[in-house]
Amino acid sequence: MIRLIQSGLMFGNLVHISSPALVERYNRALKHLAGKTTALTDFHIDISGYSPEIGDELGDPLYLNPNGVNRQFILLTPEQKRAPLLNVKFSTSRPILREFIEANEAQLFALTATDAVAGELVNSVFKLRSPADLFTLRKIEIEADTVGGTLKNADKLAAMIERFKTENDAWFDDVLIAEMIGISKQTGDISRNPVHLSHKAHEQRNFWTAHFGGLYLFPDVQHPAMICAGEKPREEMPVKYVFDLSERNRIAKFLDFNKLAEPIVRARGLDAAAVLRQKMDFIVIDTIAGTGLDLAGVDRGDLRRLARMHADRLPDAYHGLAQLLRWTEGGEWPHISAEHPAYFYGLRAADTPDRDLVNMLLSELAPLDARQLFICHKELFYRLYATWPEAKKAFVADFLAREYQVDKAGARAALFGHEPDMSGEAPPAMADERLIERVGPWGAIRRR
């Protein structure tokens, strides 16, 4: 993993903590939340305040995420909003944390000037005993305060001020006045500078979780289902349909019926041929990486030559994408069913609120596309990367550092974006729309 770290592809954008004051605040917050402290004086933290260095020191990668369910957080600066979330257990956690920070950025800036803000993503379950428990995680609320209790004290002071204003004899209550003065030394003048954090309850609808081998839950679509990366649970689930990743045709129908995915060649504003060629290149690299060939500095011409030399070893996914590529360039329509290894390589998420979740699922169904895997499912990317031959590790790390890191937003928009045409006119279709509507993305999974 050293290569990824050095290229900024792993642990990138973490916030560096080295100031003695910030380390002291972090320790106070960590003691408050987990009853632990760190002896480190220099470390990095993610959006939740989790530090991989402290995780190693404590021998506990979940020291801020007990049982992997109720994520705790330590905020030392609003700049944490730009950091990734490490050891992800739920796909919804980082978006919720980022939204909370952005909604309260001015208040957090003031609060973290003197103290750390500690809190928790709270739901109704403290420990998951079966996959069915996941369906009860419908609402996530955020509880947060400074370690010194600034917000709690501000609420207390506000109540005292109201009492002082409304009770007839409050002017003569020396104890009340003394308490108000004492608390105001901690909170400041809340009448001029109100101290308050907005706490919005977040509905957790469709999401991914790392628990139970990896599960994609879609309870809030027209045809609900659960898709399992590991073994399917034996007990009955709250949704009618439960698939594992081997049930490709059923997953394809699920995506089609709920209009969650679309063919790459149908995507407006996308150079489908270029995307398909890149996917094919990654498949070539995967095929030949273990042969001992030096892949340093290979370009597309080299990859075409290597593909010809090793054509008999290339998997069906490569040949299926080649058929699709020929069709985009004027060839015959390819008959690629959902059972074909190339099928899910030819899809991307449709423009729905679940776009990121669907792209994450598609990357797991098409794992040889290293770029999509890295962008959409980093947890799986890192796990698979550790098993790859050195030649493939070097090629992929170099490609991502050279082609992706320099323009992340542009790369994501080119691959997955659904930007409207500002002219108001629909761009030319990249595929025969009527044919796709009639037979489904590539094969006959939809009735005529």
Side-chain angles (χ1 to χ4, degrees), residues 402-421:
R402 178 170 33 87
E403 302 287 341
Y404 173 67
Q405 288 287 85
V406 295
D407 185 13
K408 296 179 183 179
R412 289 174 179 170
L415 292 169
F416 311 118
H418 294 79
E419 297 298 326
D421 179 31

Side-chain angles (χ1 to χ4, degrees), residues 51-123:
S51 167
E53 296 102 326
I54 296 176
D56 286 342
E57 177 197 21
L58 300 177
D60 181 7
L62 296 179
Y63 72 87
L64 281 183
N65 195 10
N67 299 317
V69 180
N70 292 275
R71 188 104 192 192
Q72 297 173 314
F73 59 88
I74 298 172
L75 299 180
L76 298 178
T77 168
E79 289 302 305
Q80 287 173 235
K81 70 178 184 179
R82 296 184 174 85
L85 180 65
L86 305 181
N87 294 332
V88 179
K89 295 299 180 183
F90 290 91
S91 60
T92 51
S93 296
R94 186 178 185 275
I96 290 174
L97 276 171
R98 175 152 187 155
E99 183 177 335
F100 171 74
I101 296 173
E102 290 180 336
N104 296 282
E105 192 154 3
Q107 295 282 28
L108 289 170
F109 182 82
L111 291 170
T112 56
T114 57
D115 202 354
V117 172
E120 184 175 348
L121 305 185
V122 181
N123 58 60

Side-chain angles (χ1 to χ4, degrees), residues 156-165 176 179-180 183:
K156 186 177 179 180
L157 179 58
M160 288 180 174
I161 292 173
E162 184 64 23
R163 178 183 163 192
F164 183 77
K165 289 178 178 180
L176 174 62
E179 288 181 350
M180 290 170 60
I183 294 177

Side-chain angles (χ1 to χ4, degrees), residues 265-268 428-438:
V265 295
R266 187 182 186 182
R268 293 174 175 176
M430 297 191 70
D432 187 330
E433 301 282 339
R434 291 172 298 175
L435 179 60
I436 293 174
E437 286 296 332
R438 182 164 57 86

